[in-house]
Every structure is written in structure tokens, then in C-alpha cells.
Amino acid sequence: MKKAFITGITGQDGMYLADLLLSKGYEVHGLRRRTSLLNTQRIDKYFADSATYSHKFYLHYGDLTDSSNLTRLIQEIQPDEIYNLAAMSHVHISFSMPEYTANCDGIGTLRILEAVRLLGLTKTTKIYQASTSELYGLVQEVPQTEKTPFYPRSPYAVAKMYAYWITVNYREAYNMFACNGILFNHESPYRGENFVTRKITREVARMAYNLADCLHLGNLNSKRDWGHAKDYVDAMWRILQQDKPEDYVISTGVTTSIRDFVIKTFALLDVELAFEGTHENETAVVVKNNGKYAFKAGQVVVKVHPKFYRPTEVDLLIGDSSKARQKLGWQPKYNLDALIKEMIDADLKLFNK
Ligand code: NAP
Ligand code: F7E
């Protein structure tokens, strides 16, 4: 039985990856943070499953900012594979806490690599580093590939850039099986509520049941290449099953604006919108409600609020994942429409009390 250690197991990707690895027969160990309220909602299902909990699934307290704790855990677990998914992962919030973001997302990766090296596990433990399309920032090429130069645009992306290169450096310097997955945005019903896709599906569902009046958003023009987290954790696993450690772009190759994501979400509820005005004065108004939910013609359902603007924005991301498709045999099963449908259905269920 292979052993995996997942940092960030309480997050969106951690949950999907734990599901995947348990289904493949792995023993899964996860890092959880001490929090004043419990933070394990996404993985609570395993606590209730007595055949899994403490037999194939284990949680350990720790933090990416605590090297002695990480080193002890890696020594005790002796994992075959480490998936370093833990991070302060919110780009906008990273402008408010840049130092912590550097410590956690940048140096945190170094702590894991050093632990494996100092414990003499370089030949036995493979490492996956959660790199990101945010590295491309002010894009130097369209679409972005493994060869596109980086131009990070936030403290988050700069920290992740350190993590990317220290992973490459440890691979080259110490012959470690350490790889970067450069993953473009990936979403799901389990996405954190303050990322734009989930914010949209959640607030639209609340409006559908008269629990909210209006959705407040920032930049509607930026474009993202959105996939489903379930497809993307499969790519993470494939990256560590190769003969040679390499870095891979994982993306759908389709890009969509925030505005079009909003339009698609409302369309699934049979509501037609019209956007009026520009910049801070832009709004979306209901033109026609052909569906069963509580929207009225003329109702303003989206307003722009500058507090959601970022000091520096990433305007356009679109990935070319040809390398992953050829070498890993990976391709996404979900398209954007199927992803949004799953997300809005889940949020409608959540608020239909
Ligand atoms: P997420 O839902 O925000 O989960 C982040 C995880 O990291 C949570 O388990 C969180 O714990 C944990 N964490 C945060 N700070 C920590 C610390 N100091 N020590 C230990 N754990 C800590 O993020 P995600 O969407 O699953 O993303 C997973 C990884 O992929 C992240 O590294 C992210 O930066 C990267 N990434 C994500 C995307 C995407 O579109 N989702 C794309 C590219 C790369 P709590 O639950 O306690 O907060
Ligand atoms: O923003 C715009 C915002 O926060 C997407 C993380 O997983 O993916 C994620 O980072 C876009 C940006 O994701 C709102 O300005 C408009 O242009 O959903 P997001 P992100 O910044 O792309 C990458 C790949 C990661 O690695 C990260 O960890 O949407 N936007 N209005 C808004 N964004 C938010 N959050 N909230 C708004 O109201």
C-alpha cells in the first residue's frame, strides 16, 4: 500500500485528491491546522467511516510555517508521495498579508524539500508542488505553455514563483523526484466562498430564494481558463507516476470572462440579463425570467464595487496543456457548462431550506 502525505487536505483540492488516492488504495495522511472552530467540513465524511478513519486515513496537526513539525511528520509517515497543496491561496488577500504569504507559500515549500533531503528520503519520496497559472501574470505569450516566461502580479504569485524554482532546483541539485503542476483555475461545489466562481453561484442561489438582493463583484473583464478540480487532481497523481520528474501545464484551453460566467449561471436558471454602464457604474439587470425562481424583470442583480479590484490584475489566462495530454494521457472530462451546472445545482440545494 502506497503512503501519501497531503498538505492542504482540508482545502478544495486536498479533498478531491484524498478521494482519488483512497479509491486507488493509498494510505492517506493529511496535514490540518489548529483552528478555534473545526475546519474539516470537506473531509468530515471520512471521520464517520470507521473502515477508513485511522486505518487508511489519518490527520496530523501542523503548519507549513513550522519546519520541525513538518520534518517530524515526514519522518514518522515515510511517505512515498508528498502533495504540497497547502497555501494562503487567495490572490487578493495576499496583498493584505504579503509576508505571511511568502512564508507559507514560498518558504513552506522549501521546508518540505529540506525535510525530505535531510531525512535521506530523496530516493524514495516523490514531491508534487502546487504551482499556478498566476505565475504568468502579465502574460508574455498566448496561450501559456511550460516555456512561457513568468511575470507574477501579486505577492501570492511571487511567493509561488520562489516555490516553483526551489522545486526545480532541488530536483536538479539533489536528483529528487520533485515536480511542478502549473494548474490553471479549477473550481467545484467545494470551492471556497470568496473565489469568484463560487461567490457567483452561491449568491445567485441565495437571490433565487430571496435571501439576497444583489451580487457585488470587482473586475468583470478578466478572463480565466476554468476547469473542474476533480479532473485536475487526477493530473497531479499522473505527474508523480511518470519515470522522469517534469513540470506540466494543466488547463482546458478555453478562456471566459467573469461577465460571461455570470451570464451562463443566470441562463441555467432561465434568466436573461443585460449589462449596462461601464467600470464602477456597470450593472446587470434582469431582462426576462422564464424560470421558476424569484427574479423580477428590471431587478439589478449585479453591481460593481471597486473594493474587489486588485492593485495589479491578471487580465487573461489561457493554457496550452498539450504536453500533459501527450505524456500523461490526461484530458479534462468536464467543460465549463457542466462545471457551472454542478456548482449552481449544489448551491440551490444548499439554500433550499
Ligand atoms: P484552498 O481550498 O484555499 O486550500 C488551501 C489549503 O491550505 C487548506 O487546507 C488550508 O487549510 C491549507 N493551509 C493554508 N495555510 C496553511 C498553513 N500555513 N499551513 C498548513 N496548511 C495551510 O486551495 P485549493 O484551491 O485547494 O488549492 C490547492 C493548492 O493549489 C494551493 O496551493 C493553491 O495555491 C494551488 N492552486 C490552486 C488553483 C485553483 O484554481 N484552485 C490553481 C493553481 C494552484 P485551512 O482549511 O485550515 O484554511
Ligand atoms: O479571481 C476577478 C478577479 O479570486 C478570478 C486561486 O485559486 O486561481 C485562483 O486565483 C478573477 C480575478 O481567482 C471578483 O479580479 C471579479 O481576475 O476567483 P479568483 P484567481 O485570482 O484567478 C489561481 C490559478 C490560483 O492559483 C489561486 O490560488 O475574478 N473578480 N470580482 C473577483 N474575484 C474575487 N475573488 N471576488 C470578486 O468579487
Side-chain angles (χ1 to χ4, degrees):
M1 190 192 277
K2 275 198 196 173
K3 281 192 222 170
F5 179 40
I6 305 176
T7 72
I9 197 161
T10 57
Q12 171 190 255
D13 291 7
M15 183 212 79
Y16 279 108
L17 183 63
D19 287 353
L20 179 77
L21 297 183
L22 286 167
S23 78
K24 290 186 184 293
Y26 277 66
E27 180 177 302
V28 172
H29 294 257
L31 186 75
R32 70 185 291 191
R33 295 196 284 179
R34 189 269 159 182
T35 46
S36 67
L37 288 172
L38 293 179
N39 62 347
T40 53
Q41 294 87 331
R42 290 184 177 102
I43 48 173
D44 277 348
K45 57 193 174 190
Y46 294 123
F47 291 101
D49 175 359
S50 56
T52 304
Y53 188 55
S54 288
H55 295 285
K56 296 178 207 153
F57 182 81
Y58 303 83
L59 291 183
H60 308 269
Y61 280 103
D63 199 290
L64 269 206
T65 59
D66 181 347
S67 352
S68 56
N69 156 276
L70 289 171
T71 307
R72 179 180 55 77
L73 288 177
I74 293 170
Q75 182 175 35
E76 281 172 15
I77 299 165
Q78 300 269 321
D80 299 285
E81 295 170 10
I82 297 177
Y83 295 86
N84 183 32
L85 309 186
M88 202 309 285
S89 71
H90 202 282
V91 173
H92 198 184
I93 297 172
S94 78
F95 288 94
S96 303
M97 39 197 309
E99 182 181 330
Y100 171 75
T101 305
N103 190 8
C104 175
D105 300 12
I107 307 294
T109 305
L110 173 68
R111 292 185 180 105
I112 302 243
L113 291 160
E114 265 297 84
V116 168
R117 188 176 79 88
L118 295 175
L119 292 168
L121 299 175
T122 53
K123 301 244 170 335
T124 48
T125 302
K126 298 177 175 183
I127 300 171
Y128 172 87
Q129 169 57 22
S131 285
T132 165
S133 52
E134 284 294 302
L135 295 171
Y136 299 117
L138 188 63
V139 295
Q140 303 294 295
E141 189 179 30
V142 178
Q144 296 86 49
T145 73
E146 291 80 4
K147 296 201 168 76
T148 304
F150 298 146
Y151 193 135
R153 292 272 279 173
S154 62
Y156 167 78
V158 174
K160 284 281 187 177
M161 181 133 158
Y162 176 84
Y164 173 93
W165 281 115
I166 200 69
T167 300
V168 173
N169 182 245
Y170 271 56
R171 177 167 78 217
E172 293 174 354
Y174 307 116
N175 225 1
M176 287 169 65
F177 199 109
C179 309
N180 288 288
I182 308 173
L183 271 52
F184 282 61
N185 297 53
H186 46 278
E187 321 292 312
S188 74
Y190 294 92
R191 184 60 143 155
E193 292 93 342
N194 58 358
F195 295 96
V196 78
T197 56
R198 182 72 199 292
K199 182 173 168 182
I200 293 167
T201 60
R202 191 173 185 275
E203 287 307 292
V204 172
R206 274 164 39 83
M207 280 190 267
Y209 292 119
N210 259 326
L211 299 170
D213 295 331
C214 185
L215 165 63
H216 295 266
L217 292 172
N219 179 9
L220 300 176
N221 296 317
S222 61
K223 291 179 142 190
R224 290 293 183 272
D225 179 334
W226 281 298
H228 195 301
K230 201 172 182 179
D231 282 332
Y232 284 44
V233 299
D234 174 50
M236 295 177 189
W237 175 76
R238 286 172 191 250
I239 288 171
L240 291 196
Q241 311 315 309
Q242 303 308 300
D243 292 336
K244 226 175 115 213
E246 288 185 50
D247 307 319
Y248 295 87
V249 162
I250 304 296
S251 64
T252 69
V254 177
T255 193
T256 308
S257 69
I258 312 302
R259 189 182 293 98
D260 284 343
F261 191 102
V262 171
I263 292 171
K264 280 174 178 288
T265 306
F266 276 95
L268 284 168
L269 306 190
D270 286 325
V271 176
E272 264 176 56
L273 298 183
F275 280 81
E276 296 165 357
T278 57
H279 303 98
E280 280 92 288
N281 298 318
E282 185 166 357
T283 56
V285 179
V286 173
V287 174
K288 215 179 199 187
N289 181 5
N290 298 316
K292 59 179 182 179
Y293 296 104
F295 296 99
K296 294 170 219 66
Q299 182 183 348
V300 176
V301 284
V302 179
K303 284 185 186 162
V304 171
H305 199 298
K307 81 171 173 185
F308 298 112
Y309 288 167
R310 296 164 185 197
T312 39
E313 177 62 285
V314 173
D315 295 320
L316 165 71
L317 290 173
I318 177 166
D320 174 352
S321 53
S322 306
K323 179 180 172 186
R325 290 174 196 236
Q326 279 157 22
K327 289 200 172 181
L328 306 177
W330 176 84
Q331 64 172 38
K333 295 190 179 73
Y334 283 82
N335 63 23
L336 183 60
D337 290 333
L339 168 68
I340 302 178
K341 170 115 182 63
E342 192 182 313
M343 291 180 73
I344 188 67
D345 285 351
D347 279 325
L348 285 169
K349 205 166 152 201
L350 189 65
F351 292 108
N352 184 16
K353 296 265 161 65

